[in-house]
């Protein structure tokens, strides 16, 4: 069984619930944290699936680790290695496919409403069409790559998820767990505080995030289970 390759770009943005999901199923995985100085593999050949995590940097920043992530995704696209992109990871997938990553129409921080499209690919990955809460933390957003299928959007950001073959890019953070959410809700950085003041409709206070976590985390983890099960089943079927 080839391991899952997980690309981490920021020390505080680890795999969280994804790692728990893999451990519970005794699935081998290799986390490479470029912010810690881990080397990233040059080739995808030795891995059965790929997951690309988030980070506070822009997908357009001239960082070697970001370009390596894009290269590994393009190899995965060529070889049919199922790939998941979480937030920045989804933006890197879109950028590698030629779509623009630009400022989001509105930043989204905290629990926000996601509208799942009524099409087969969306049902396969995200379940029944309709609105459900997901956790967001982004200031930029991806365009829709040529040949991809739009799966979900929101009022603040129309491109929230797309698929292309066995690959799924998400703008939201389906991988968060209680520990990660508690840590993130304590953020008092200047960018977040400015966004909170300028965009109160789409940026939650720490108190609102914590309150909504009690209501929504379990349902989002059920969504994560669905996404991860499909991703791994596609990898196992290769």
């Amino acid at each position: 069984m080839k391991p899952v390759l997980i690309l981490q770009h920021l020390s505080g943005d680890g795999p969280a619930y994804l790692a728990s999901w893999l451990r519970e199923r005794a699935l081998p995985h290799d986390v490479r944290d470029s912010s810690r100085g881990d080397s990233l593999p040059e080739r995808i050949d030795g891995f059965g699936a790929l997951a690309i995590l988030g980070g506070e940097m822009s997908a357009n920043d001239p960082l070697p680790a970001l370009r390596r992530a894009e290269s590994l995704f393009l190899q995965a696209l060529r070889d049919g290695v199922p790939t998941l992109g979480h937030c920045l990871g989804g933006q890197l997938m879109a950028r590698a496919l030629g779509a623009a990553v630009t400022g989001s129409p509105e930043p989204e921080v905290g629990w926000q409403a996601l509208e799942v499209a009524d099409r087969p690919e969306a049902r396969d990955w995200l379940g029944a069409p309709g609105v459900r809460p997901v956790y967001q933390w982004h200031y930029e957003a991806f365009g829709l790559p040529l040949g991809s299928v739009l799966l979900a959007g929101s009022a603040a950001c129309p491109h929230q998820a797309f698929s292309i073959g066995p690959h799924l890019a998400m703008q939201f953070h389906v991988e968060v767990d209680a520990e990660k959410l508690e840590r993130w809700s304590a953020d008092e950085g200047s960018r977040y505080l400015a966004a909170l003041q300028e965009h109160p409709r789409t940026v939650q206070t720490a108190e609102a995030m914590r309150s909504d976590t009690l209501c929504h985390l379990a349902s989002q983890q059920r969504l994560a289970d669905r996404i991860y099960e499909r991703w791994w089943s596609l990898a196992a079927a290769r």
Side-chain angles (χ1 to χ4, degrees):
M1 183 186 300
K2 292 183 178 180
V4 172
L5 175 61
I6 301 176
L7 302 182
Q8 182 174 339
H9 304 287
L10 191 67
S11 59
D13 199 351
Y17 188 70
L18 171 59
S20 298
W21 191 91
L22 292 167
R23 284 194 298 268
E24 287 173 3
R25 291 154 182 79
L27 298 175
H29 53 284
D30 182 353
V31 181
R32 303 289 182 95
D33 182 355
S34 59
S35 71
R36 194 176 59 190
D38 292 351
S39 62
L40 303 187
E42 294 187 4
R43 301 184 60 81
I44 200 68
D45 303 23
F47 300 95
L50 174 63
I52 311 173
L53 300 178
E56 64 186 7
M57 64 285 288
S58 169
N60 299 311
D61 285 347
L63 299 174
L66 302 185
R67 303 293 79 80
R68 179 62 59 82
E70 291 174 348
S71 173
L72 286 164
F73 167 59
L74 290 176
Q75 292 177 44
L77 185 73
R78 178 197 65 202
D79 296 346
V81 176
T83 301
L84 290 180
H86 303 73
C87 199
L88 173 68
Q91 294 171 1
L92 291 170
M93 291 169 66
R95 190 180 183 279
L97 292 168
V101 176
T102 59
S104 182
E106 288 185 273
E108 292 179 294
V109 178
W111 294 96
Q112 307 290 334
L114 177 80
E115 184 163 1
V116 176
D118 187 4
R119 54 178 55 103
E121 297 88 348
R123 290 177 182 272
D124 288 343
W125 282 107
L126 305 176
V131 177
R132 66 205 60 186
V134 293
Y135 192 81
Q136 307 263 10
W137 198 304
H138 69 97
Y139 302 98
E140 295 187 332
F142 48 66
L144 195 62
L146 185 67
S148 66
V149 180
L150 181 64
L151 307 185
S154 72
C157 180
H159 299 154
Q160 286 282 347
F162 68 81
S163 65
I164 183 164
H167 317 289
L168 173 67
M170 298 169 283
Q171 188 58 76
F172 46 96
H173 283 278
V174 76
E175 87 291 351
V176 291
D177 59 13
E179 184 278 331
K180 191 170 183 177
L181 285 164
E182 179 61 28
R183 184 160 37 84
W184 280 12
S185 68
D187 186 291
E188 294 185 350
S190 59
R191 192 177 192 186
Y192 163 70
L193 293 175
L196 178 62
Q197 184 174 12
E198 295 169 14
H199 300 277
R201 187 178 72 88
T202 59
V203 178
Q204 285 190 311
T205 65
E207 293 77 13
M209 282 189 230
R210 293 188 183 107
S211 175
D212 280 357
T213 292
L214 297 175
C215 301
H216 301 318
L217 180 57
S219 65
Q220 178 172 276
Q221 289 184 338
R222 288 192 293 272
L223 173 62
D225 290 341
R226 181 187 188 94
I227 290 168
Y228 295 155
E229 288 282 2
R230 176 168 174 75
W231 168 67
W232 182 252
S233 69
L234 290 168
R238 292 182 64 239

